[in-house]
Amino acid sequence: MASTRITVTLPSEQVEELRNITDNVSGYVAAAVDRQIRHDLLAEDLRRYEAEHGSFTDEELASARAELFGSASDSNVA
């Protein structure tokens, strides 16, 4: 993937923590930006779906949570 150099201003405390966490600050920031972009795109897809089909039902939300995080009964499996 092609890269473009940019300048970003961050609070000094964040830069210090970044340098403590990783030697590859650019890679770390790129991964964080990628996660945020995917989050924003998913949120927009969900808003569009609800605008067309109405709000998600409690059952749909419970099913989605179970799919993403496992159901309560999954935690009892050894």
Side-chain angles (χ1 to χ4, degrees):
M1 178 186 309
S3 296
T4 302
R5 179 182 286 271
I6 64 169
T7 300
V8 176
T9 303
L10 297 170
S12 297
E13 296 81 15
Q14 287 182 348
V15 173
E16 184 178 335
E17 283 302 315
L18 276 169
R19 289 184 174 148
N20 288 333
I21 292 169
T22 183
D23 292 330
N24 183 0
V25 172
S26 291
Y28 191 95
V29 171
V33 169
D34 184 60
R35 280 190 305 275
Q36 187 63 47
I37 289 170
R38 285 185 282 121
H39 174 84
D40 293 347
L41 291 172
L42 176 59
E44 181 56 33
D45 284 345
L46 293 173
R47 278 191 291 276
R48 198 175 10 245
Y49 179 91
E50 285 190 308
E52 186 175 329
H53 302 285
S55 296
F56 291 103
T57 65
D58 289 341
E59 293 80 17
E60 289 171 323
L61 293 173
S63 177
R65 282 188 199 93
E67 186 74 24
L68 290 170
F69 306 113
S71 65
S73 61
D74 289 345
S75 64
N76 297 326
V77 175

